[in-house]
Amino acid sequence: MYQIIVFGPLLAAIIAGLFGRQLGDKGSQVITCGSLIISAILSWVVLFQIGFGHTVDHVTIMTWVNSGDLNFNWAFKIDTLTAVMLVVVNTISSLVHIYSVGYMSHDPHKPRFMAYLSFFTFAMLMLVTADNFVQLFFGWEGVGLASYLLIGFWYKKPSACAAAIKAFIVNRVGDFGFALGIFAIFMATGSVDFDTVFAMIPDLVGQKIHFLWMDLDLITTISILLFIGAMGKSAQLGLHTWLPDAMEGPTPVSALIHAATMVTAGVFMVARTSPIFEYSPDALAFVALIGASTAIFAATIGTTQTDIKRVIAYSTCSQLGYMFFALGVSAYGAAIFHLFTHAFFKALLFLGSGSVIHAMSDEQDMRKMGGLRKKIPGTFIMMLIGTLALTGFPFFAGYYSKDMIIEAAFASDSSFGGYAFAMGVLAALLTSFYSWRLIFMTFFGKSRASQSVQDHIHESGNWMMVPLYVLAAGAVAAGFLFKDYFIGIHYEDFWGHALFLKDAANNVLEEAHHIPGWVGTAPFIVMVIGFLVAIYAYIWKPETPAQFAGTFRYLYALFYNKWYVDEIYDFLFVNPAKRLGTFLWKQGDENIIDRYGPDGAAASVMALARRFRALQSGYVYHYAFAMLMGVAAFVTWFVFISGGGAS
């Protein structure tokens, strides 16, 4: 069963990619969609067998590497954490595949697109089923490659190509840190198998490693290097710049990357390596600091964006920050619970925005929308459900998972727990504001679209709407149905040893149930405040945003221009690299290497050839003179150089 779940999407990708022309569009879609639906159904079976059955499975596929001290298999580790990720990845991916049949109906390259989607899913499945760090890294790089192909799918569009390259390069920065962390693990333990490494970690407490010019704590160094990889893949502050630009890909790609798969890989990895992080309070504090800072940073940017997909993209970045500061305060169950619920409502919002864009003739600017709730009521209701779940409205999915993260941060004794709590509450306020701002600008008021666009506004077909209905069900019910297992009374039985706490008696999730009442109500209060501010600014007093932007123009410009992080990176890294590259190209390559190397040699040969060509005049005395000079040169060489005269 596990082999079908993992290798089914790979087989579908190979068939659709290599034989797409022979199969045609429908054949490719049937194979890829069918494969993912089967994998999704089997993944739910695995969740009930493993998570609710309290078991763990190991499946060895084959011996992968056997070289000296480096030995590991290609194998699957199926515990509750893996089972949850299988459900998330395959459920969302199967719905995205089905949605793509309708959304990409006019694209001439449908087999290639479906093949890329299935390959992306396979790479993510390899990542979450890994039982060793090398296999994890294989899947890690696989989703990076697939994301490059998907973001740049419309390769004739320069902005799409630039976004794909940016995502690839920024992720290489994080992946370099991740690779160093794996090297350090092998150096310290002599193994890359999870179980072996985790068992040896307590013996490494207090050991030092000479890294760069410093003697550092070994476990802390390993943990931070691993987290740097997570920062790149999950777009945390500093390595987040690729995420909004990834919107250049087709909308189904945005949903697949941002909702359930690539960006959650970092969260999964930190949760998987909790037996390492738990022995480094400093590393956990760093995770909490970065996560909380990312949550508020991305939320501020989301309040000013006008591209409907970019608003949701920055929302994803912010919600990932919540997941990471939950990990940083050792609330691992809450982090994975929010990953689980977030997958449903964020995929719903992305695919819903795709339905809006489809109805608006590919228009993405919310300033050119408005009044759509009566023209596309089905999409409006789906987007409304996603917004209620995202903002934490009572009894929707986000209400249970996000609120628990905020409460756990307050209950934690982490050095950055208080900071994470404050930033989490403030980010919840901004999340409510920008989410309702999107709804009001898109679906309420008068239409600001051109008449030609208004004439073609229509509801999406069943291929696009049915996945939205399924995701809406998850956005409504996933929190209530699974809260007792992820974060409640069945926590220990459900998770087993998949999530590790060094001090089981210091369970922050248990302590979060005994916090003051005002802490539990704070997220709801700020959610209501954000809603009221949004409805005041965009429904009751629509001139307010322009007035605010004029009065606080510097603050507005800061948020609108994404805190100028891209400009800072351009100044510090991109432009100097370009200048250095231009200098090495012009001065080093052309003026030195080419001039005195191949170009210089070729020019010398040509000049010499031109001189010898002058001898080819057709006159006998010229040839006789040349022959005489040759004989003289030969005699001179024979007598004075070769030593012939000495004999």
Side-chain angles (χ1 to χ4, degrees), residues 242-301:
W242 68 270
L243 190 67
D245 291 350
M247 296 299 97
E248 292 293 338
T251 298
V253 173
S254 304
L256 193 61
I257 291 177
H258 290 72
T261 51
M262 179 172 171
V263 294
T264 60
V267 179
F268 165 80
M269 186 268 287
V270 175
R272 172 60 79 204
T273 55
S274 56
I276 300 176
F277 280 85
E278 278 293 295
Y279 285 93
S280 176
D282 292 339
L284 287 175
F286 181 67
V287 173
L289 172 64
I290 295 297
S293 300
T294 303
I296 187 63
F297 168 81
T300 60
I301 299 174

Side-chain angles (χ1 to χ4, degrees), residues 331-413:
Y332 299 103
I336 301 301
F337 189 32
H338 195 50
L339 184 157
F340 182 76
T341 61
H342 176 265
F344 289 100
F345 59 73
K346 189 53 62 70
L348 176 61
L349 287 170
F350 266 117
L351 297 184
S353 70
S355 183
V356 171
I357 295 167
H358 185 73
M360 293 291 295
S361 303
D362 297 327
E363 179 59 66
Q364 297 183 199
D365 193 335
M366 296 187 299
R367 294 171 297 184
K368 299 179 182 179
M369 298 180 186
L372 292 178
R373 73 183 188 279
K374 295 180 180 179
K375 297 183 178 181
I376 47 174
T379 299
F380 166 65
I381 293 173
M382 296 299 102
M383 292 286 285
L384 186 63
I385 291 173
T387 298
L388 291 171
L390 172 61
T391 57
F393 192 82
F395 310 115
F396 283 75
Y399 170 74
Y400 297 97
S401 58
K402 187 168 71 173
D403 285 19
M404 176 52 71
I405 289 176
I406 295 174
E407 294 165 8
F410 181 87
S412 168
D413 59 358

Side-chain angles (χ1 to χ4, degrees), residues 616-640:
Q616 306 300 317
S617 62
Y619 295 107
V620 175
Y621 61 87
H622 284 172
Y623 296 143
F625 177 73
M627 293 171 63
L628 181 62
M629 292 297 295
V631 171
F634 174 75
V635 171
T636 301
W637 172 80
F638 182 77
V639 173
F640 294 102

Side-chain angles (χ1 to χ4, degrees), residues 310-495:
R310 283 182 178 266
V311 174
I312 304 174
Y314 278 108
S315 172
T316 298
C317 192
S318 180
Q319 297 304 306
L320 287 165
Y322 276 98
M323 298 176 206
F324 275 108
F325 78 68
L327 295 170
V329 299
S330 297
Y332 299 103
I336 301 301
F337 189 32
H338 195 50
L339 184 157
F340 182 76
T341 61
H342 176 265
F344 289 100
F345 59 73
K346 189 53 62 70
L348 176 61
L349 287 170
F350 266 117
L351 297 184
S353 70
S355 183
V356 171
I357 295 167
H358 185 73
M360 293 291 295
S361 303
D362 297 327
E363 179 59 66
Q364 297 183 199
D365 193 335
M366 296 187 299
R367 294 171 297 184
K368 299 179 182 179
M369 298 180 186
L372 292 178
R373 73 183 188 279
K374 295 180 180 179
K375 297 183 178 181
I376 47 174
T379 299
F380 166 65
I381 293 173
M382 296 299 102
M383 292 286 285
L384 186 63
I385 291 173
T387 298
L388 291 171
L390 172 61
T391 57
F393 192 82
F395 310 115
F396 283 75
Y399 170 74
Y400 297 97
S401 58
K402 187 168 71 173
D403 285 19
M404 176 52 71
I405 289 176
I406 295 174
E407 294 165 8
F410 181 87
S412 168
D413 59 358
S414 168
S415 54
F416 285 101
Y419 172 75
F421 169 74
M423 293 301 101
V425 172
L426 184 56
L429 169 65
L430 298 179
T431 299
S432 178
F433 171 74
Y434 67 64
S435 298
W436 289 110
R437 170 179 176 264
L438 183 151
I439 293 294
F440 295 145
M441 289 184 69
T442 304
F443 295 101
F444 287 80
K446 295 181 179 180
S447 177
R448 297 176 294 276
S450 64
Q451 190 60 47
S452 61
V453 172
Q454 293 187 48
D455 292 340
H456 292 87
I457 295 176
H458 60 284
E459 189 66 272
S460 300
N462 288 333
W463 283 110
M464 295 173 62
M465 294 304 297
V466 170
L468 296 184
Y469 301 149
V470 178
L471 291 169
V476 172
F480 175 77
L481 292 177
F482 292 94
K483 62 181 176 63
D484 289 338
Y485 298 95
F486 280 82
I487 57 173
I489 57 176
H490 302 301
Y491 176 91
E492 292 185 2
D493 291 336
F494 180 72
W495 288 111

Side-chain angles (χ1 to χ4, degrees), residues 16 24 47 55 57 63 88 121 138 159 172 193 269 375 389 460 467 474 545 646:
L47 177 62
T55 61
D57 278 350
T63 299
V88 170
T121 306
F138 173 82
S159 57
R172 296 290 72 71
D193 290 323
M269 186 268 287
K375 297 183 178 181
S460 300

Side-chain angles (χ1 to χ4, degrees), residues 72-91:
F72 56 89
N73 297 322
W74 187 347
F76 301 152
K77 178 178 182 178
I78 312 295
D79 58 6
T80 302
L81 179 59
T82 300
V84 169
M85 293 301 297
L86 288 177
V87 166
V88 170
V89 171
N90 282 320
T91 301

